[in-house]
Amino acid sequence: MFSKIDQNSINNIIVFRLNKVGDMICTLPFLKTLRNHFEKAKITVFTEQPAQEIMQVLDYINGFIIYKNNNKLFLNKYLESYRLINNYKKKSSIKKFDIAFGVKGGFSSSLALLTLISGASLRAGYVNKNHILRHCYNLPVASVDFAHTHQVETCLNILSVIGIKDFAKDISIEIPADFTNKVHEFIALNKISSGKPVILFNISNNREKSSWDIDKFIELGRILIEKHAFTCIISSTDKDEEQGHTLCRTIGTNAFYYKTKKLMDFAAIASLSSFVVAGDGGASHISAAAGAPVISIFGETNPAIWKPYGTQNIALQSKDKNAKSITLEDVLNSILSNLALLNKKKSGKKNMGNI
């Protein structure tokens, strides 16, 4: 079932997409497709704080609402959302939203209720026929094979309910110049050699089974530097910074730590790297959005759904679904067998290997 929407009747759109950075990266093609089809409409995104930095660099949306999840009780959560939406409408001179989308690869009772709270006349999202809140949607979207379909594709499929079939499948983001300039200053300060490929390791992950052994990062860094003339950059969250510096010292010459205080700091260093090695999660998705080929080390998460989007990216997962079981050879071979990607990058944007 789909309903062809008169584009001229849609002036204000609100998109609800909760959760973290990786979820929002997978929603960018959905937002770009909306903009392509509703050029004159105002598009607002309702999301959570981890995605705020991404919202700030998107020139194809008109505004965003940030919900700060402070583990509020059920009722308070939705009352707060109602308050945020109404305040935003007043501030933006929006009388009403014409259509609301609950975006996720599957049914979400929270998203369904939020679309209803928005007051939008039309409300679209995946439904669960056994859940009472399915009735929040008056444009229900038929389920797809969620277990074997990438999150980008399942999100885009929601738009089929309003007759959209030509999708923008581009997750790329524009990184503000201030952040890329900081990377260039870092390169100059550390006298990082031009002409060498660069490997970026992100050593932080909030899932234990998605965390690779530090000893393997050390050995991989040494092999790439000593045998294949790489430069190695280490990044981490604040809590792992000390470990990151220790890792650099242990790897030795041509290993450097880059402090990524903000999300765009990480995106900038990734965008100028030849390859990124990271556990499954936000770092791998933001790297892919920045244009870097990613070797993503998966734990229990399903790569069919959550692999960094794009043919240049590789997902590695062991049979026991524990990242620590992935061998050094697995990751090394993935990097070396894809060095040809560097030539493709040279014909496009710059990286540290051809500055």
Side-chain angles (χ1 to χ4, degrees):
M1 169 190 172
F2 75 85
S3 175
K4 187 70 175 178
I5 300 295
D6 177 12
Q7 294 183 12
N8 295 323
S9 69
I10 303 297
N11 297 309
N12 291 290
I13 300 170
I14 186 165
V15 176
F16 292 91
R17 179 49 154 166
L18 305 180
N19 306 118
K20 297 184 180 180
V21 171
D23 303 85
M24 184 53 69
I25 293 297
C26 289
T27 310
L28 298 185
F30 178 98
L31 296 174
K32 291 179 181 182
T33 302
L34 265 186
R35 174 51 67 209
N36 290 345
H37 283 266
F38 298 96
E39 295 180 1
K40 296 180 180 179
K42 290 183 178 179
I43 299 175
T44 299
V45 180
F46 184 107
T47 189
E48 293 182 271
Q49 197 163 21
Q52 182 168 350
E53 276 195 72
I54 298 173
M55 294 296 96
Q56 291 170 339
V57 301
L58 303 184
D59 60 5
Y60 44 89
I61 67 170
N62 299 94
F64 55 88
I65 302 168
I66 298 297
Y67 175 79
K68 297 179 181 179
N69 190 346
N70 296 318
N71 296 316
K72 295 179 183 293
L73 295 174
F74 177 87
L75 183 60
N76 286 344
K77 173 181 177 180
Y78 293 104
L79 287 174
E80 173 65 5
S81 298
Y82 178 79
R83 185 188 69 81
L84 289 170
I85 292 168
N86 279 343
N87 285 349
Y88 175 84
K89 286 164 70 175
K90 290 177 183 177
K91 181 180 177 181
S92 305
S93 299
I94 294 173
K95 290 184 178 180
K96 70 180 183 69
F97 289 109
D98 301 298
I99 187 166
F101 294 93
V103 180
K104 186 178 181 178
F107 174 71
S108 164
S109 59
S110 294
L111 292 179
L113 192 51
L114 285 170
T115 63
L116 188 64
I117 288 171
S118 74
S121 305
L122 299 172
R123 302 174 300 280
Y126 288 111
V127 295
N128 178 339
K129 64 181 181 180
N130 298 317
H131 200 292
I132 187 64
L133 289 181
R134 73 185 185 277
H135 296 296
C136 293
Y137 293 126
N138 53 17
L139 291 174
V141 183
S143 296
V144 297
D145 183 1
F146 296 121
H148 299 94
T149 307
H150 197 280
Q151 183 74 187
V152 167
E153 304 291 341
T154 54
C155 291
L156 283 170
N157 183 62
I158 295 170
L159 292 171
S160 64
V161 80
I162 59 170
I164 294 176
K165 296 180 180 179
D166 51 326
F167 303 130
K169 296 189 176 184
D170 173 20
I171 62 166
S172 66
I173 57 172
E174 290 291 329
I175 302 166
D178 287 351
F179 294 94
T180 52
N181 289 341
K182 282 172 61 179
V183 175
H184 286 284
E185 291 171 6
F186 168 81
I187 293 166
L189 180 65
N190 290 284
K191 299 179 181 179
I192 295 175
S193 174
S194 63
K196 285 186 177 182
V198 173
I199 189 80
L200 173 62
F201 295 159
N202 183 73
I203 62 171
S204 297
N205 199 292
N206 57 14
R207 303 185 189 104
E208 178 59 30
K209 287 195 174 182
S210 298
S211 299
W212 208 38
D213 290 320
I214 290 298
D215 289 345
K216 290 177 183 174
F217 274 116
I218 292 170
E219 191 174 355
L220 177 62
R222 285 175 171 171
I223 291 171
L224 290 173
I225 290 169
E226 294 169 9
K227 296 185 178 180
H228 302 283
F230 272 74
T231 294
C232 183
I233 310 291
I234 313 297
S235 73
S236 70
T237 58
D238 287 345
K239 70 181 180 63
D240 294 324
E241 181 175 352
E242 185 176 345
Q243 186 176 50
H245 285 293
T246 301
L247 186 57
C248 286
R249 291 192 295 269
T250 307
I251 292 173
T253 305
N254 286 328
F256 306 90
Y257 183 81
Y258 189 74
K259 189 175 181 66
T260 52
K261 188 175 181 180
K262 294 186 176 182
L263 186 64
M264 287 300 130
D265 286 318
F266 180 77
I269 193 72
S271 73
L272 295 172
S273 298
S274 309
F275 293 98
V276 177
V277 178
D280 68 83
S284 63
H285 291 287
I286 198 70
S287 298
V294 184
I295 292 88
S296 188
I297 300 172
F298 273 73
E300 295 177 320
T301 309
N302 185 349
I305 303 172
W306 290 110
K307 172 183 176 290
Y309 198 64
T311 56
Q312 66 179 351
N313 304 313
I314 297 169
L316 299 175
Q317 187 176 51
S318 63
K319 290 182 179 179
D320 67 355
K321 298 184 178 179
N322 189 329
K324 292 178 173 56
S325 299
I326 295 172
T327 68
L328 169 67
E329 289 73 23
D330 290 333
V331 180
L332 179 61
N333 290 338
S334 296
I335 294 167
L336 297 181
S337 64
N338 286 278
L339 276 174
L341 290 170
L342 289 177
N343 294 326
K344 292 182 180 180
K345 290 187 77 173
K346 287 178 182 178
S347 63
K349 63 185 179 58
K350 291 184 176 182
N351 59 37
M352 287 185 229
N354 66 349
I355 288 173

